[in-house]
Amino acid sequence: MTNARTRTGLLAAAALAGVLGLTGCGGDDDTAAPAAESPASTTPDSQPPASDPQPSASESGGEDKDAAPATEADSGSADAGLPRSDCTAPGLKVALVAKGSDMNSAYYDLQVTNTGGRCAVRGYAGLSLLDGGGKQIGKPATRSEDGHGVGNVVLDKGDSAHAVVKTPGEGVTGGDCAAKPAKIKVYAPGNTEAVTSTGTAGIRVCGGTLTVGPLSTAFPG
């Protein structure tokens, strides 16, 4: 009987020791768990901060805009300051100057003078003769090749372009001549507005023929 109680007591003690041993192992597992989580807790620190400034498209565009004026400045050319056929009627005055005659023709210098800013003429002027009432006498002048040929004539203020005006002499036509005009009417190249002047130089158109050459820098010598 005593032996049975003794064995029962030993078994109970052994069972209690086993329970305590299991409890001790479970405690070790609980304390180890945080160590396993620690690597995950450092993950956010390894990412770049969301507030780090990044270059934007608008900032890059700003640099391109700053470069634009240089491109505009480079667009000029060596001929940029050379005007071409841009003299207009309000800035011009005109006149005929007698240049003598030969056996067959009488010659006049049509002078187109710039009274404004720098400009240029190129080609032929339109020329008509008017009576005292403003009515056209005969036909407008037709074009000829008399003179220095067609070219760009740059005029500063006070400069003149010149064209050869010619009509047959009275002796060639047997005195078939029109009345002397009171005015001349001139269209500069590229203009639709005319310039008039009383500077006629006493011209008389004979044989119904009046010609004008291209504008040039000087009257032929």
Side-chain angles (χ1 to χ4, degrees), residues 192-214:
T192 57
E193 181 181 350
V195 182
T196 59
S197 170
T198 57
T200 66
I203 189 173
R204 290 185 70 189
V205 174
C206 296
T209 302
L210 179 66
T211 62
V212 60

Side-chain angles (χ1 to χ4, degrees), residues 125-147:
L127 171 64
S128 300
L129 307 180
L130 307 177
D131 64 17
K135 184 179 179 180
Q136 182 173 298
I137 300 173
K139 296 180 180 180
T142 58
R143 294 179 179 182
S144 73
E145 295 182 1
D146 296 326

Side-chain angles (χ1 to χ4, degrees), residues 83-138:
R84 296 179 181 276
S85 298
D86 58 356
C87 291
T88 56
L92 298 173
K93 67 179 182 179
V94 297
L96 284 177
V97 176
K99 286 294 183 177
S101 61
D102 56 23
M103 292 181 61
N104 299 316
S105 302
Y107 297 90
Y108 301 84
D109 178 9
L110 172 60
Q111 298 181 353
V112 179
T113 304
N114 179 24
T115 62
R118 192 174 196 237
C119 64
V121 291
R122 180 185 179 91
Y124 290 81
L127 171 64
S128 300
L129 307 180
L130 307 177
D131 64 17
K135 184 179 179 180
Q136 182 173 298
I137 300 173

Side-chain angles (χ1 to χ4, degrees), residues 29 44 69 115 117 155 213 216:
D29 290 342
T115 62
L155 303 174
S216 61

